[in-house]
Amino acid sequence: MHERLLMPTSPDTPLYNSRIFDSYLKLLRKRYPDVDTHALLAYAGMKQHEVSDPGHWFSQRQVNRFHEKLVQVTGDPGIAREAGRYAASSDALGPLRSFFLGMVGPEYIFHLINKIAPRFTRSSRCSARKTGPREIELTVTYNEGVQENPRQCENRIGFFEAAFLLFDHDFPEIEHTECVFKGGEVCRYVIRWRRSAGYRLLMAQRICSAVLIVGLVTDWVRSGHTLMGPVLFLGLAGYFGFTLLARNAERKALLSSLTSMRATSERLLSQVQDNFDRALAINEIGRVISTRTELDDILSSVNQVLHKRLGYGRGIVVLLDPERNSLVLRGCFGLGAEDEERVRRVELPLAGTATPGVMVTCFHTQQPVLVSDIEEIRTLAVPENYALITALGVRSFICAPIVCEGESLGVLAVDDASREGGLLQSDLNLIQGIAPVIGISVRNAMRLANERRLSDQLRKASEQLERRVSERTSELSQAYAELEFLYDSVSHDLRTPLRVIYGYGELLLEGYGDRLDASAREYLANIISGGERMEETLDRMLDFSEVKSALPDLQPVDLSLLARRILADLRITDPDREVTLEIEDGVLVTGDERLLTGVMENLLGNAWKYSAHKGRTRIAFGRNDGVCYVRDNGDGFDMAQAGKLFMPFQRLHDGNHFAGHGLGLSMVRRMLERMGGKVWGEGRPGDGATFYFTLPPGDAP
């Protein structure tokens, strides 16, 4: 707090509390009723609702203009000091009067001046020290950058004098020993005062009592005199007279204090009730948010709370439309059916208009707006909307942006045509605090609505997808069935005529080969060879069909032993080839032994076949991190065509150099998938190939 007060200030820094100027206006209404206070405030750049708001502060520039105009309209150069004295009234001090009266005397007010002053000014620091029995020295030190005017000094003196009037003292003697306006570094005041009238009456009463006692003792000693002697008579008369005056003064002071306390208590009770209603309203709004999920229900409940608990006559909530082009009415209170329909027809586009209006500006800037007099916005408002506002009898209103997570969602606007004096800054602060709470509820409701809408869309999409999957599954099952039928049909139906063709070719070659020339014999040999290859392809097609339908018998299988046996058989077919084999021992997997035999025969057979043209064949088999591999140094393949590796009847090499039917790798993939595994290959042209496949480990259940 002290650090903030010591910071350098400028002429536009808020330094002076509105209660100072509220006392000025009350004095003007009482003693200068002809002064136009609206013109005075307008000249100073102040507004009536700002002066009425005890939480508002004004700058030095505004204060200077206020005093300049004030002296001009009243013609009284001493009006500032008079306003300071007027601060002693209950109308000016309010609750502070009861606080001051709770002290023993005025001097105690100055002992707490350093705590009281910050309630009214941030321009300076005030300290006090006692210099005599009834003498106090006050020192006012201005903060850096503050340049007050002399009338503020006079107002301060008047306030010091008012402190003594509270306790029925005469005006004190105030000596301004040092002043910044006369070359001093600080403003220093020496205050001297006399005893109060009540205290003097009490002392006179005590003197009369002493005289009466002395007279009675003297009369008792001198028994020859009567009790009704002149001295006793005067003492008794004085005692009763001063007692009567003291009691009367005490009664008046007590009555004045009770009257002030009653007025203050009523105001405090009213403030307590207002604070209670506001706290209750915020609590109810929080409860609404936690129990409502539909946006319209939330807005309706919030509007009821604003109307019931906070007493605002009317209010509306406008939110961003789904197209995000304009603000539309989503809730209201205090409006009749006809007026609500008129408000609902109001257009509030967010772009494309030269005059956006107060609510749209509030939405874009995310700053609340307090319009204390609608005349202030005549040139800023859309003419049609301004005409509607005036027709509804709106005198002042508040707009607060409804914001959540930095995004503007809408605007909350309230007014109260029945409230005397219009809405205040405190109302703006309250609505500004409620609007974000509404924003949270609106955002949650919108998200919940979006989630419901998305959930419904996902449900419908899921149902549609399930229906399509079912249809596709049925179609695919039918296609598989037809394909299997085709495989069986082709394999069986073509086998007999195929054997007839190449069988007669063999008979022709054996019986008439010596009669045929070399070309004819070559033709017959090609016919016989083609028939044999065709029969082998038909066998593979049957194998492919069986792989799709057979249920695998899963059990532990040692692939290392299987690889050694297959490669041993391959070496018999070409005993003269130079071969280097690397077979890792103990590669144990879980699978169907018959299917795994087919996998290994195809992969190792391809490695043997495609490395035949190398000077030395190198084939390796093993497992790394659970992935089995078969590697060779053969012709390899282009990875750009790797997608064709496992497709039926797709070959990546010339059939004239490497024999084959194009079904081997497709059968490998199908067999591994049947056992819960997968296969893929990597290679480079001329640098060999590596085929990887996975299977459950040997100890898997």
Side-chain angles (χ1 to χ4, degrees):
M1 180 68 177
H2 294 292
E3 292 180 0
R4 182 176 63 83
L5 294 176
L6 292 173
M7 291 178 62
T9 58
S10 70
D12 295 314
T13 302
L15 296 175
Y16 306 99
N17 189 263
S18 60
R19 284 175 289 188
I20 299 174
F21 304 95
D22 189 50
S23 65
Y24 274 97
L25 298 186
K26 290 176 180 177
L27 175 63
L28 291 176
R29 284 193 291 268
K30 184 175 182 180
R31 301 185 185 176
Y32 302 90
D34 296 333
V35 172
D36 186 357
T37 56
H38 292 286
L40 170 64
L41 294 176
Y43 182 81
M46 302 176 178
K47 297 179 181 179
Q48 179 63 53
H49 72 272
E50 294 175 342
V51 177
S52 302
D53 183 7
H56 195 81
W57 295 74
F58 294 107
S59 67
Q60 185 64 53
R61 192 189 307 277
Q62 292 173 300
V63 171
N64 291 341
R65 292 179 63 85
F66 180 85
H67 284 129
E68 176 188 345
K69 189 69 173 179
L70 180 66
V71 173
Q72 178 183 346
V73 297
T74 61
D76 183 4
I79 185 67
R81 187 165 183 172
E82 184 180 0
R85 292 176 178 176
Y86 183 73
S89 67
S90 60
D91 290 339
L93 276 181
L96 279 179
R97 179 181 175 89
S98 298
F99 173 72
F100 290 156
L101 288 174
M103 299 180 181
V104 177
E107 62 270 22
Y108 291 95
I109 294 177
F110 297 104
H111 288 304
L112 298 175
I113 194 71
N114 61 327
K115 296 183 179 180
I116 298 172
R119 288 172 169 257
F120 297 93
T121 178
R122 299 170 179 166
S123 65
S124 57
R125 304 180 304 281
C126 190
S127 61
R129 69 184 184 94
K130 189 174 183 179
T131 56
R134 289 183 297 279
E135 182 177 290
I136 289 179
E137 181 185 78
L138 296 178
T139 303
V140 178
T141 305
Y142 296 94
N143 295 327
E144 183 181 351
V146 174
Q147 294 182 354
E148 290 192 350
N149 62 64
R151 292 187 177 84
Q152 289 175 272
C153 192
E154 291 294 322
N155 180 259
R156 191 179 293 114
I157 294 174
F159 187 82
F160 295 157
E161 292 173 336
F164 288 86
L165 297 180
L166 285 172
F167 296 90
D168 293 328
H169 279 255
D170 296 331
F171 280 116
E173 178 187 347
I174 300 180
E175 184 181 356
H176 200 356
T177 59
E178 184 179 356
C179 182
V180 294
F181 303 108
K182 297 179 181 179
E185 295 184 358
V186 297
C187 277
R188 201 181 311 277
Y189 310 88
V190 178
I191 304 175
R192 304 181 185 91
W193 67 93
R194 297 188 304 164
R195 300 289 189 183
S196 66
Y199 182 83
R200 293 197 296 270
L201 285 174
L202 180 60
M203 293 304 297
Q205 182 187 21
R206 291 175 179 176
I207 292 172
C208 290
S209 299
V211 171
L212 182 60
I213 293 172
V214 171
L216 288 173
V217 172
T218 303
D219 180 70
W220 180 74
V221 173
R222 298 179 182 182
S223 57
H225 292 79
T226 63
L227 291 175
M228 296 302 294
V231 176
L232 294 178
F233 177 78
L234 290 176
L236 187 61
Y239 174 77
F240 284 115
F242 286 122
T243 299
L244 182 61
L245 290 175
R247 291 292 183 269
N248 186 51
E250 184 179 357
R251 184 183 62 82
K252 288 183 178 180
L254 182 60
L255 182 61
S256 175
S257 178
L258 289 175
T259 302
S260 175
M261 292 181 65
R262 177 183 176 184
T264 302
S265 298
E266 289 177 351
R267 282 195 294 269
L268 287 175
L269 285 174
S270 178
Q271 292 178 5
V272 169
Q273 183 63 42
D274 290 343
N275 292 337
F276 174 75
D277 287 340
R278 293 180 178 188
L280 196 59
I282 295 176
N283 180 58
E284 289 190 17
I285 290 174
R287 191 163 59 250
V288 165
I289 294 175
S290 63
T291 57
R292 303 287 195 280
T293 57
E294 296 295 336
L295 180 58
D296 291 336
D297 291 344
I298 291 174
L299 295 178
S300 176
S301 300
V302 169
N303 287 334
Q304 291 178 12
V305 172
L306 292 174
H307 185 47
K308 175 183 176 183
R309 292 296 179 189
L310 302 182
Y312 294 109
R314 295 175 294 197
I316 62 173
V317 175
V318 292
L319 298 179
L320 193 63
D321 70 337
E323 289 76 22
R324 308 180 71 85
N325 295 326
S326 62
L327 299 176
V328 296
L329 181 68
R330 291 299 302 268
C332 65
F333 64 90
L335 295 173
E338 182 178 350
D339 291 338
E340 180 179 346
E341 184 60 31
R342 295 169 65 186
V343 173
R344 195 175 296 278
R345 290 197 298 267
V346 171
E347 296 182 357
L348 297 172
L350 298 178
T353 58
T355 306
V358 177
M359 298 187 73
V360 174
T361 302
C362 175
F363 176 86
H364 284 308
T365 62
Q366 296 187 359
Q367 295 295 323
V369 179
L370 170 58
V371 179
S372 58
D373 187 350
I374 62 170
E375 289 294 331
E376 301 174 0
I377 63 167
R378 179 185 289 272
T379 58
L380 303 176
V382 179
E384 295 81 3
N385 298 346
Y386 183 81
L388 175 59
I389 292 174
T390 55
L392 293 175
V394 177
R395 296 200 307 260
S396 65
F397 65 92
I398 292 173
C399 291
I402 299 176
V403 181
C404 184
E405 298 175 351
E407 180 185 0
S408 294
L409 303 178
V411 176
L412 168 65
V414 299
D415 85 304
D416 192 356
S418 63
R419 181 181 297 192
E420 183 178 356
L423 301 175
L424 304 176
Q425 183 70 27
S426 57
D427 296 297
L428 177 63
N429 296 337
L430 175 64
I431 298 302
Q432 186 180 3
I434 292 177
V437 180
I438 299 176
I440 295 174
S441 64
V442 169
R443 172 55 60 85
N444 290 341
M446 288 181 172
R447 285 177 174 172
L448 184 59
N450 289 336
E451 289 177 1
R452 289 174 176 171
R453 183 166 54 253
L454 180 61
S455 177
D456 186 61
Q457 292 175 353
L458 289 176
R459 181 183 55 80
K460 292 180 179 179
S462 177
E463 293 176 354
Q464 185 177 8
L465 181 61
E466 289 179 359
R467 185 171 58 254
R468 290 182 178 178
V469 168
S470 178
E471 293 174 355
R472 295 294 185 270
T473 302
S474 177
E475 294 173 357
L476 188 60
S477 299
Q478 183 177 358
Y480 278 150
E482 293 175 354
L483 184 60
E484 290 177 0
F485 175 77
L486 177 62
Y487 283 160
D488 293 342
S489 176
V490 168
S491 299
H492 292 88
D493 295 347
L494 292 182
R495 192 177 299 275
T496 300
L498 182 62
R499 286 179 177 175
V500 170
I501 292 174
Y502 77 79
Y504 276 103
E506 290 177 345
L507 293 175
L508 183 62
L509 184 61
E510 291 176 0
Y512 301 93
D514 53 347
R515 302 180 187 180
L516 301 175
D517 58 14
S519 298
R521 285 195 298 272
E522 181 180 357
Y523 294 155
L524 283 175
N526 289 336
I527 291 174
I528 295 169
S529 175
E532 292 175 345
R533 290 197 303 273
M534 185 63 181
E535 187 174 15
E536 183 181 354
T537 300
L538 292 177
D539 291 338
R540 292 294 184 182
M541 290 177 63
L542 285 175
D543 293 340
F544 190 73
S545 178
E546 291 177 359
V547 167
K548 291 170 53 182
S549 58
L551 292 177
D553 180 17
L554 301 181
Q555 57 184 344
V557 178
D558 190 338
L559 292 184
S560 299
L561 295 177
L562 196 59
R564 293 183 188 280
R565 179 174 59 80
I566 294 172
L567 288 171
D569 293 341
L570 291 172
R571 296 193 70 166
I572 295 175
T573 62
D574 192 0
D576 298 331
R577 187 193 301 191
E578 296 185 10
V579 180
T580 299
L581 302 178
E582 299 176 5
I583 309 299
E584 179 181 340
D585 293 328
V587 178
L588 194 67
V589 299
T590 298
D592 185 290
E593 186 174 4
R594 181 178 61 85
L595 295 178
L596 286 174
T597 300
V599 169
M600 297 300 289
E601 286 178 348
N602 276 281
L603 294 179
L604 293 173
N606 284 344
W608 183 270
K609 176 172 62 177
Y610 290 113
S611 60
H613 298 159
K614 297 292 182 179
R616 175 178 288 275
T617 296
R618 290 185 175 87
I619 298 176
F621 168 75
R623 182 166 58 184
N624 187 14
D625 293 333
V627 179
C628 299
Y629 61 87
V630 173
R631 182 184 301 116
D632 65 69
N633 65 334
D635 279 14
F637 59 89
D638 187 355
M639 288 297 293
Q641 299 182 355
K644 299 180 179 179
L645 280 173
F646 303 99
M647 297 178 63
F649 303 110
Q650 294 292 327
R651 304 191 64 200
L652 305 185
H653 296 85
D654 187 358
N656 294 326
H657 294 84
F658 300 102
H661 41 72
L663 286 173
L665 289 179
S666 61
M667 292 178 63
V668 167
R669 185 183 69 174
R670 186 57 54 88
M671 286 187 287
L672 288 171
E673 288 176 350
R674 295 285 292 169
M675 293 181 288
K678 60 181 180 179
V679 63
W680 66 95
E682 295 178 359
R684 284 184 5 182
D687 287 343
T690 302
F691 285 88
Y692 301 93
F693 63 94
T694 61
L695 284 168
D699 56 351

